[in-house]
Structure formats: C-alpha cells, structure tokens
Amino acid sequence: MRRTPWNRTGCTLLFVMLACQAPLPAADAPLGVVLQANLAHVKDSAITEGATVYPGDELSTDVGGSLDLRIANSRFNLAANSRAYFYSGEKGSVAELTSGTLTFRRDTEKDGIEVVASDVRIVPKGEGAVTGLVTIYSPCKIAVTSIAGEIEVMSGTETRTLAEKESYSVIPEVSVSAVQTHISPDDPNYHQSHVHKACTLGKDPHNAGRFQKIALAAGLGGAAILIGTKLLATSHPGAESPWKP
C-alpha cells in the first residue's frame, strides 16, 4: 500500500498517544504505610493510620505527637516535634532527618537503610537486626545511639562503628539546610540544592575529633524519645514485632 502524508500523520499521532499512556515513573510508586500516627502531618495535612507515603514526602510531628512508619520490612518512628523526608535509594530506604528524633529498625541486611542528619550518614551493619536512634540537637550537634546491633556513622572523613548500646555525639563537617525543595541524599544533585555551613570542632584537645562517646541515657534523651523505641518494640495488628529475631 502506498504511504501518503495522511498515513504518516496517523502513525505519528498513534505513537504520541501510546507514549502518553506509558507507566508512571518509579518515583510515583508508593514507598511505605503509616502504622500509627498522633498529631502527625504529611506536609501541611494531618496524616492517619493506614495512609500511604510516597518518595519525598515531608512527615512531621507536633509537640506530644509521634508517627510509626513501615517501608518494606523496615520500621521508622518520628518522636514528638520532629521532621523527616523519606526516599527510595539504590540499596533500600533513605531517611533524611531535619529536626527532632528518628528511631529506625532494620531486620536483615537485605533491607538497606541509610539515615542522613545534617551531613552525618548512619548505616546499619551486619546481617542481623539493627535498631538505632538519631537526634538532632542543633545543625552541628547530632547524637547517634545503637540500641541493638552495630551502626556505622560517617562524618566528613571520619567513620566510627558503634557497638550495641553505645552512644556518640557527632559534629558534622558541615550543616545542611535546603534552599527550595528536598531531593534524596542519594541524588547526585543533593548538595547543589542545599546551603552548607562549616561546623567547627570543640576546643578540648582531648576530644579533637568529630566523635565523642556519651552515656547511653544521654544518647536516648528524655521520656518522649523512649516512646519511639517502645512503639518499635510492640507488635502492630497483623504484623510481628520488629524486635522478634
């Protein structure tokens, strides 16, 4: 059959229509589900139990609030007066804590987790279950606690492995604050979307590095933070307790 200009136009239109019906990008796929929520929000809207969370969602809690989130087989809890963003990374879930306290639970090494607070990066180690807690006291003071298992903490050129039930106060190399919109810490353009401010080390010659070991109780903080660890330790209806081996 001879191809006419109208035939060619029809083929072009058909191609455009098929392209427009292509599947949505992976970034629009659901990331996790809210297991418990009290005085919690996604952006400016209240969020409740059973709500779906998407990559890049801003989750926050008010004073006296809390939020328990499941992403794949991992659990996260935001304590009162906290804020974080969650993403899907190449090796698993990525949580960027911008204020307050985040507790995380990873059951096996197959469930990759990375937590970023200012410029400090926290990654569970080993094959077994790992539970950790991260608190931002100020842009240049982060506390990291290993409740169960080992955790690797990176700040600038320094790296420290926290044994179970160890807590460290960490000084980031730089503090990080978003200029306009949040993008995943795994994105190559992450640092181009932020403003950085150098964090100076303390003047104590005996503690010249970025890591200073602190008492476990100091790392855990107050009773409001213990609520977060308790939520991760209790079983949610229809799911086994994440503390179970």
Side-chain angles (χ1 to χ4, degrees):
M1 182 180 68
R2 184 180 178 186
R3 186 177 294 272
T4 67
W6 289 107
N7 294 140
R8 289 194 293 269
T9 302
C11 290
T12 302
L13 290 174
L14 179 60
F15 175 80
V16 171
M17 290 173 65
L18 291 174
C20 291
Q21 294 175 0
L24 292 174
D28 293 327
L31 179 66
V33 63
V34 174
L35 300 182
Q36 297 182 38
N38 175 43
L39 299 176
H41 306 272
V42 54
K43 297 183 181 178
D44 297 324
S45 302
I47 194 168
T48 57
E49 179 180 331
T52 300
V53 173
Y54 292 87
D57 275 352
E58 173 191 348
L59 301 179
S60 63
T61 54
D62 295 334
V63 174
S66 65
L67 186 144
D68 192 16
L69 173 69
R70 179 183 293 278
I71 299 177
N73 295 318
S74 301
R75 293 276 294 274
F76 299 89
N77 175 269
L78 280 178
N81 202 27
S82 301
R83 185 180 307 274
Y85 298 78
F86 294 86
Y87 306 90
S88 178
E90 291 183 3
K91 299 180 180 179
S93 51
V94 179
E96 181 184 16
L97 180 67
T98 59
S99 63
T101 296
L102 174 74
T103 309
F104 62 88
R105 165 77 184 198
R106 185 211 71 178
D107 282 341
T108 69
E109 64 176 339
K110 294 180 180 179
D111 305 316
I113 287 181
E114 181 181 32
V115 178
V116 177
S118 243
D119 204 31
V120 177
R121 293 184 178 244
I122 302 103
V123 179
K125 291 193 67 178
E127 298 179 356
V130 178
T131 302
L133 184 145
V134 183
T135 299
I136 296 180
Y137 288 105
S138 73
C140 287
K141 183 179 179 182
I142 314 295
V144 183
T145 299
S146 174
I147 299 171
E150 289 187 336
I151 296 174
E152 186 175 78
V153 183
M154 293 152 280
S155 177
T157 58
E158 294 188 47
T159 300
R160 188 67 52 93
T161 298
L162 275 61
E164 186 169 307
K165 293 182 173 58
E166 276 192 337
S167 287
Y168 274 82
S169 176
V170 187
I171 300 174
E173 189 171 79
V174 294
S175 64
V176 177
S177 58
V179 178
Q180 293 178 336
T181 183
H182 280 261
I183 63 174
S184 172
D186 273 2
D187 193 295
N189 297 317
Y190 174 70
H191 286 291
Q192 280 68 45
S193 68
H194 290 72
V195 170
H196 301 83
K197 183 178 180 181
C199 295
T200 57
L201 295 175
K203 297 181 180 180
D204 186 348
H206 301 291
N207 291 303
R210 299 194 175 275
F211 292 83
Q212 182 177 357
K213 192 171 183 179
I214 57 178
L216 180 64
L220 289 174
I225 295 174
L226 293 179
I227 292 174
T229 59
K230 184 177 179 181
L231 281 174
L232 291 178
T234 55
S235 177
H236 186 74
E240 291 188 357
S241 168
W243 286 73
K244 251 180 123 176

